Amino acid sequence: MRPLTPTLALLAALLLLASPASAGNDWMPPVRDATVQKECGTCHMAFQPGFLPARSWTHLMGSLADHFGEDASLPDDKIAIIRAYLTANAGDVVNQGRAARYMQWVAPGGTPQRITENPDFLRKHHFADSVWKDPKVVTKSNCAACHSGAERGLYK
Amino acid sequence: MIRRLMLAVAVAALPLAVLATDARRDAILADYAAKSRAADPSAPAFSAQRGETLFRTKWTGGDPRTASCTACHTADPRVPGQNAKTGRPIEPVAVSVNPKRFTDPATVEKQFTRDCRSVLGRDCTPFEKGNYITFMAGQ
């Protein structure tokens, strides 16, 4: 692997510094379902269901043929398994810790499709353009480029 | 005869796991060969060189972010790649460094469908798929 660029190394250091003892409350339960890991973790990491309400996951699973411009279609049996897992563990179902903080910003009945547009996300990710254009980052949704514990739900 | 003997010795020396994955890859290749002949009875045998051309060609029919397979799998199949759309790292695709490549038929088919549409803007033919795997199996 290529070494971290200076800006990213700086961010990594910042992340290490910004870690008080309150980790329990900040933990986001990771994806534990093998089908979700495999099918939703191929193009990007398998995002934790706690970041979006159940309504959002239902909508997302019903529109995989046009998934952020990608065709992420799956057979119906897989869709059913994944939808069941994501909605059962969604932010409004978990409703505590970090999931609850993200849900505070979701309008009643709203179906946001992006984690990266939640105001809780935005206020923690005010970085210079050069950071987002780093070839290791590519896009905001590439959580693991900056959070080495992202897959385990650790964002500190 | 001597070749046969040498093959037998080589095979005996291989760990069982590798044998099993090779057998699965061969089965996938055989399936593509049958489909390729069904589409065109005069189709030649798969060639690594044709596979390499598919891998390196800059196509124009697909997503401009992914004009060629190398956009995500890099120009060297033996090194890790990176998804040009999401930034997610991708394990090497060369079989020599990643022996589990091309061993699960459903995964192989699913990725060919996604990746060929993204790069070429159309599905790859069974002939193209067989050439691609043949190239990667020798890498």
Side-chain angles (χ1 to χ4, degrees):
Chain A
M1 292 254 58
R2 281 163 290 170
L4 284 183
T5 56
T7 3
L8 269 189
L10 203 78
L11 279 179
L14 187 71
L15 276 171
L16 277 179
L17 282 175
S19 45
S22 60
N25 197 32
D26 288 331
W27 182 58
M28 182 56 99
V31 171
R32 295 197 193 285
D33 182 273
T35 308
V36 180
Q37 273 296 357
K38 179 164 197 278
E39 303 299 344
C40 304
T42 314
C43 297
H44 43 64
M45 70 170 252
F47 300 115
Q48 285 88 15
F51 279 117
L52 293 172
R55 301 180 297 277
S56 295
W57 293 119
T58 303
H59 182 268
L60 217 129
M61 293 310 296
S63 53
L64 287 179
D66 184 11
H67 178 76
F68 304 90
E70 295 299 298
D71 183 351
S73 306
L74 287 173
D76 287 345
D77 55 334
K78 293 241 165 82
I79 291 184
I81 295 172
I82 297 169
R83 190 202 293 115
Y85 181 84
L86 294 175
T87 52
N89 295 279
D92 51 341
V93 176
V94 173
N95 219 3
Q96 54 176 320
R98 193 178 302 288
R101 288 208 293 288
Y102 266 69
M103 289 312 105
Q104 279 172 10
W105 298 97
V106 176
T111 53
Q113 297 298 293
R114 281 191 184 269
I115 300 161
T116 53
E117 284 173 2
N118 188 297
D120 199 282
F121 179 93
L122 293 173
R123 76 192 169 93
K124 293 271 183 182
H125 295 86
H126 278 302
F127 308 138
D129 248 20
S130 61
V131 170
W132 297 119
K133 296 217 172 82
D134 186 297
K136 289 204 77 110
V137 175
V138 179
T139 167
K140 289 185 182 177
S141 68
N142 187 10
C143 322
C146 306
H147 302 278
S148 59
E151 308 255 5
R152 282 168 291 137
L154 302 173
Y155 291 98
K156 275 301 199 176
Chain B
M1 184 61 199
I2 291 178
R3 253 188 92 201
R4 267 239 193 101
L5 263 178
M6 280 169 52
L7 200 75
V9 172
V11 163
L14 277 176
L16 274 176
V18 172
L19 262 186
T21 58
D22 281 354
R24 282 196 298 249
R25 191 176 312 108
D26 288 348
I28 293 173
L29 274 171
D31 183 51
Y32 284 139
K35 290 192 172 114
S36 170
R37 273 192 310 271
D40 174 9
S42 65
F46 294 142
S47 98
Q49 201 194 329
R50 280 198 170 91
E52 175 161 19
T53 303
L54 170 66
F55 179 68
R56 299 197 189 281
T57 300
K58 295 243 181 299
W59 304 85
T60 49
D63 186 322
R65 291 172 296 177
T66 55
S68 76
C69 308
T70 61
C72 296
H73 293 306
T74 82
D76 179 357
R78 294 189 199 85
V79 305
Q82 186 192 25
N83 194 313
K85 298 171 184 172
T86 64
R88 186 165 178 73
I90 301 175
E91 285 179 25
V93 281
V95 169
S96 65
V97 285
N98 196 352
K100 57 185 192 308
R101 283 292 176 200
F102 317 108
T103 53
D104 173 48
T107 303
V108 169
E109 256 307 281
K110 183 178 64 188
Q111 271 321 130
F112 268 132
T113 302
R114 275 182 192 156
D115 294 347
C116 290
R117 285 180 189 172
S118 178
V119 173
L120 293 78
R122 62 162 173 87
D123 289 327
C124 288
T125 62
F127 185 55
E128 288 171 321
K129 294 174 188 174
N131 290 329
Y132 185 81
I133 296 179
T134 303
F135 169 57
M136 290 303 173
Q139 285 297 296

